[in-house]
Amino acid sequence: MEGPLYRQIRREIRQRIATGEYQPGAFIPSLNEMADQFNVNRLTVMKALEPLIGEGVLKPVVGRGFVVVGARVARELETLDGFSRTMSELRAEPAVKVLTKGVRAAGPWYAGLFDIDPSDDLYFIKRLCLSAGHPFSLEEILFPTYLMPDPAPLQLSVFSLYDLYAFHGINLVSAWQTLKQTKLSASDARLLGVDEETSVLLFECESKDDRGRTVESTSTYTRGDVASFVTRFRA
Amino acid sequence: MERLRITPMREARERIRAYMRSNALGPGERLPSERVLSEDWGLSRGTVRSAIRAGEHDGLLERRPGSGTYVARPTVERNLQDLRPLADVAEATGYQVVTEILRLTVIEANLERADQLDVRLGEELYSLLRRRVFDGVPAVVEYSLIPVAVAPGLSKEDLEKQSLYSLLEERYGNRIAEGYESLSLLPCPQEAAELLSIEEGQDVFVQNGVALSPERSPIESFESVSLGQYVSFVSDLRAR
């Protein structure tokens, strides 16, 4: 990277916004912190920020600093630990409301997916994820009961299943995730606060553990108007 | 823990998927009639019909009026982590792909573009607009900005013969090695809507990003608009 320092800093800030490091609706670090980070003085940082304020990318809030303009949570698409960790790191005040929790027979489809008998049981959890008090996504999570014979920990209002799996010695190592556009049933649309004709994003994710077993199947319906997804690619 | 009742709708949706899997039904193959399925599964016809409709929304099934329910053609799955050319992926999925070069002009970089592409304000950029047509249907519109200095003399004729990335690499020695992008579901802007023959404001996938050289200098900034009916995205997630 070449050119004057303030320009390099401006480019860097743009990139941090583009990659979700600085989230829409959140404050960027203070002028002092930025000055330390880039090893320059505050005036240079301010000179870097000015055009971004002019473009409407950043908005000054008196006495508090600069906020990234935008309403969409930029979520990283690359790691397994999903919603909870991403959201809490991003200070988007996440919350989860469990709508249904129980056991059910696997049936023909999930029996094949989890390599179990159709009459074997699965845990089924349906929950609504909220960001700053607003519906963000609707999740349906299924996993075989043999993985966690004692359902007691599930009775708690557990936030991160990922942590719960780790606690039970199940090490999720990879997942294949597909993302498509779909529409919801009337009742699910109501839960998510959209109408039936609105397109939503559907993530379908099958997770495998370190023993090669498919251990979880998740469908996540996310409102398209509140989220964007950031990712890095490589040849 | 509470034992849940599987709703008839959920059961029907799962049975349809299981049926397709165990009979290895491929694109264009027909499912038994609603009547047969509802009798076999002991579910009402209305339930089976709703489940088929849900399968249509998910891009799994296709109903042909007066004929029946068929397995839909798969969407073109773009892997968000690699750089496989869209045309290659679409062809591998079974689509005939035509790439149309709709526009190639030179513009001056505004500050935002200049920063993204690491060039000076006002530097010349190629502004390229391409449209991908899958089996005769416009499915993707792609906007690219490339500094003229990166690919001097770039022409429409060249782009009609060769993919942009292979042209950049082979003729100009500017290989694209990595990049970053964001993906959103957004109301389709006017020009793209016209080019895709859809209503302005209909939800479409929009990818925005920057492609970089192995030395991480920016080569292209892009915006891709795709129809969810034809394109979906996949990624391979790894534990941190």
Side-chain angles (χ1 to χ4, degrees):
Chain A
M1 208 160 28
E2 286 169 26
L5 276 173
Y6 64 85
R7 182 166 161 260
Q8 291 178 32
I9 296 167
R10 193 177 67 221
R11 287 196 68 224
E12 181 61 30
I13 293 168
R14 278 196 207 273
Q15 206 172 100
R16 288 180 184 177
I17 294 171
T19 54
E21 190 176 332
Y22 294 161
Q23 283 287 315
F27 283 89
I28 62 168
S30 70
L31 289 182
N32 282 329
E33 284 168 313
M34 293 269 219
D36 281 351
Q37 242 180 63
F38 293 110
N39 210 5
V40 296
N41 63 43
R42 285 165 45 113
L43 279 176
T44 308
V45 177
M46 203 49 225
K47 193 165 177 189
L49 297 184
E50 265 161 7
L52 301 175
I53 299 162
E55 285 173 22
V57 173
L58 294 176
K59 194 176 82 184
V61 177
V62 177
R64 292 197 59 193
F66 301 93
V67 81
V68 180
V69 175
R72 285 160 187 262
V73 174
R75 199 178 147 187
E76 235 188 278
L77 260 187
E78 286 158 340
T79 52
L80 264 178
D81 39 14
F83 182 80
S84 56
R85 197 162 306 183
T86 322
M87 297 296 272
S88 33
E89 275 171 9
L90 303 174
R91 292 167 304 220
E93 300 167 56
V96 167
K97 196 171 141 197
V98 175
L99 305 170
T100 313
K101 187 158 61 178
V103 291
R104 52 157 285 186
W109 170 253
Y110 289 109
L113 191 69
F114 292 116
D115 196 17
I116 55 178
D117 200 77
S119 60
D120 286 345
D121 276 340
L122 301 176
Y123 289 117
F124 174 84
I125 298 168
K126 181 165 178 167
R127 57 188 197 175
L128 184 67
C129 300
L130 303 128
S131 166
H134 301 288
F136 181 87
S137 63
L138 196 58
E139 281 185 354
E140 291 181 357
I141 303 158
L142 291 123
F143 58 100
T145 53
Y146 81 81
L147 293 170
M148 221 180 280
D150 175 14
L154 282 175
Q155 306 289 4
L156 309 166
S157 187
V158 182
F159 195 72
S160 166
L161 282 171
Y162 189 79
D163 293 341
L164 191 60
Y165 292 138
F167 180 75
H168 282 80
I170 303 159
N171 295 312
L172 263 57
V173 291
S174 68
W176 183 249
Q177 181 168 261
T178 61
L179 166 58
K180 54 194 180 187
Q181 211 179 313
T182 190
K183 285 177 183 159
L184 289 167
S185 67
S187 56
D188 282 350
R190 209 159 33 241
L191 285 170
L192 205 50
V194 298
D195 67 64
E196 250 183 288
E197 287 312 306
T198 305
S199 295
V200 297
L201 297 158
L202 166 59
F203 290 89
E204 290 178 304
C205 191
E206 285 169 17
S207 309
K208 287 191 189 300
D209 72 354
D210 53 3
R211 292 159 65 182
R213 303 176 295 188
T214 298
V215 294
E216 185 195 85
S217 163
T218 314
S219 303
T220 309
Y221 299 90
T222 303
R223 284 174 63 142
D225 59 343
V226 295
S228 70
F229 299 88
V230 294
T231 181
R232 287 172 189 276
F233 51 89
R234 216 163 283 280
Chain B
M1 184 162 266
E2 190 194 347
R3 177 153 295 273
L4 303 169
R5 200 182 122 261
I6 302 173
T7 63
M9 173 68 168
R10 195 174 283 279
E11 183 182 344
R13 294 182 69 171
E14 290 174 15
R15 278 192 182 275
I16 290 171
R17 292 180 89 162
Y19 182 90
M20 288 166 58
R21 184 179 57 201
S22 58
N23 292 282
L25 287 192
E29 291 192 86
R30 203 169 104 165
L31 265 74
S33 70
E34 283 172 15
R35 185 181 55 79
V36 168
L37 292 178
S38 67
E39 280 168 11
D40 283 359
W41 296 339
L43 295 164
S44 78
R45 278 187 72 166
T47 300
V48 172
R49 193 171 309 133
S50 303
I52 290 173
R53 194 173 308 126
E56 277 187 292
H57 285 322
D58 290 350
L60 219 56
L61 302 172
E62 185 193 331
R63 253 187 323 185
R64 299 184 198 156
S67 169
T69 306
Y70 295 79
V71 178
R73 298 192 66 174
T75 51
V76 174
E77 292 189 337
R78 300 202 78 175
N79 190 323
L80 286 166
Q81 293 154 313
D82 70 23
L83 277 169
R84 210 170 152 211
L86 173 61
D88 290 3
V89 185
E91 274 162 14
T93 316
Y95 287 95
Q96 243 196 335
V97 184
V98 175
T99 301
E100 300 168 340
I101 313 299
L102 301 180
R103 188 162 69 213
L104 180 65
T105 54
V106 174
I107 63 166
E108 288 182 0
N110 64 18
L111 192 65
E112 186 188 350
R113 296 308 183 187
D115 283 350
Q116 252 183 355
L117 290 164
D118 200 12
V119 297
R120 261 183 275 281
L121 184 66
E123 191 166 319
E124 290 192 326
L125 309 175
Y126 284 119
S127 165
L128 169 65
L129 171 58
R130 288 173 297 171
R131 176 165 68 171
R132 313 285 191 161
V133 181
F134 296 170
D135 287 351
V137 183
V140 181
V141 171
E142 294 181 297
Y143 296 87
S144 302
L145 292 170
I146 302 147
V148 169
V150 162
L154 188 70
S155 75
K156 267 190 174 184
E157 293 69 37
D158 294 334
L159 287 160
E160 267 150 14
K161 283 186 225 125
Q162 204 178 356
S163 82
L164 173 64
Y165 284 10
S166 68
L167 196 59
L168 288 174
E169 178 171 356
E170 285 163 26
R171 173 156 334 154
Y172 300 103
N174 282 311
R175 185 167 72 85
I176 287 167
E178 59 176 296
Y180 55 88
E181 67 179 320
S182 75
L183 170 66
S184 323
L185 192 63
L186 288 173
C188 193
Q190 188 201 343
E191 184 185 53
E194 279 170 22
L195 294 172
L196 293 168
S197 314
I198 59 168
E199 299 272 314
E200 186 181 342
Q202 187 185 317
D203 282 328
V204 288
F205 282 122
V206 177
Q207 289 163 271
N208 254 303
V210 178
L212 310 165
S213 74
E215 297 77 34
R216 312 191 108 186
S217 50
I219 292 182
E220 181 207 15
S221 102
F222 60 85
E223 179 170 298
S224 265
V225 180
S226 320
L227 294 185
Q229 202 185 337
Y230 293 98
V231 178
S232 62
F233 299 90
V234 296
S235 38
D236 190 8
L237 311 183
R238 297 281 154 183
R240 248 201 279 233

